[in-house]
Amino acid sequence: MKKIKLNYLLLLATSFLISCNALKTAPYDQFSYQKTTEIKVDAIRLIDKATSLYQDNITEILHLENEIAKIVEYEKYKPNNELTYEMWQILANENKNLLAGFFKRWKEKEKLSPFFVKEAKTQITEAMNLLLQYEGKKETAVKNQLLELISKN
């Protein structure tokens, strides 16, 4: 009887530890927060220029794309960081409708209409704000909003 209880307790303890491990979230990371803020500010400034020719802004675009590639690589190797990493992958994917997708469209069209720029800026800003909120607080409500945004993309 004692052996059954011990086995049962071990099973419960193991299950608890596994479930807790699966729920882990990467802790606050000042570098991630700061870099995300910098990229957001630079991206918004650059998006505002998309009514002008792409070629006139190529140096800034390439610099920002390089910064995005760096943060994606950084986030990739942080433990318990799947959500933030996945969001950065979406932002960096030129086949999605967020940051890299915006730059791809700008390149293809050479310059974009003010209406399109305004709408895209709103969506990209909201996505990056959500990422910053999650990175800053790691709250469940923000996590759920981020998961919803990821599922839509």
Side-chain angles (χ1 to χ4, degrees):
M1 187 71 163
K2 283 185 180 183
K3 191 172 187 176
I4 293 173
K5 284 183 181 180
L6 182 60
N7 285 339
Y8 181 72
L9 286 174
L10 284 173
L11 181 63
L12 279 176
T14 303
S15 297
F16 177 74
L17 290 174
I18 289 171
S19 67
C20 286
N21 201 29
L23 297 175
K24 280 187 180 178
T25 300
Y28 174 76
D29 181 338
Q30 177 63 34
F31 177 79
S32 290
Y33 189 83
Q34 180 179 342
K35 201 66 182 163
T36 300
T37 302
E38 290 172 11
I39 290 172
K40 177 192 167 198
V41 169
D42 291 346
I44 299 309
R45 285 187 183 151
L46 198 48
I47 288 168
D48 284 336
K49 296 180 178 184
T51 56
S52 64
L53 290 174
Y54 179 88
Q55 275 309 119
D56 292 348
N57 300 281
I58 191 72
T59 303
E60 288 176 83
I61 294 166
L62 292 175
H63 175 76
L64 186 60
E65 289 175 339
N66 191 41
E67 292 302 305
I68 293 167
K70 289 177 189 177
I71 193 72
V72 169
E73 195 64 17
Y74 177 79
E75 297 294 347
K76 180 179 181 178
Y77 292 103
K78 282 178 20 185
N80 306 311
N81 195 45
E82 294 78 14
L83 189 58
T84 301
Y85 175 60
E86 190 171 353
M87 187 62 203
W88 270 113
Q89 284 182 302
I90 292 170
L91 286 163
N93 187 335
E94 67 178 18
N95 296 316
K96 301 288 184 181
N97 291 323
L98 289 175
L99 200 50
F102 177 86
F103 293 129
K104 178 183 176 185
R105 184 177 184 104
W106 186 7
K107 183 177 183 179
E108 290 170 349
K109 301 287 183 184
E110 295 185 25
K111 61 181 176 176
L112 301 170
S113 75
F115 177 78
F116 182 82
V117 169
K118 182 181 175 189
E119 292 299 311
K121 180 180 172 181
T122 299
Q123 290 178 3
I124 293 166
T125 300
E126 287 174 6
M128 296 206 71
N129 284 344
L130 197 54
L131 185 56
L132 281 166
Q133 288 171 17
Y134 178 69
E135 191 59 48
K137 298 179 184 175
K138 305 289 185 178
E139 292 177 345
T140 304
V142 177
K143 179 180 182 178
N144 291 337
Q145 289 177 308
L146 199 54
L147 283 168
E148 184 178 332
L149 179 63
I150 288 170
S151 72
K152 290 179 181 177
N153 285 285

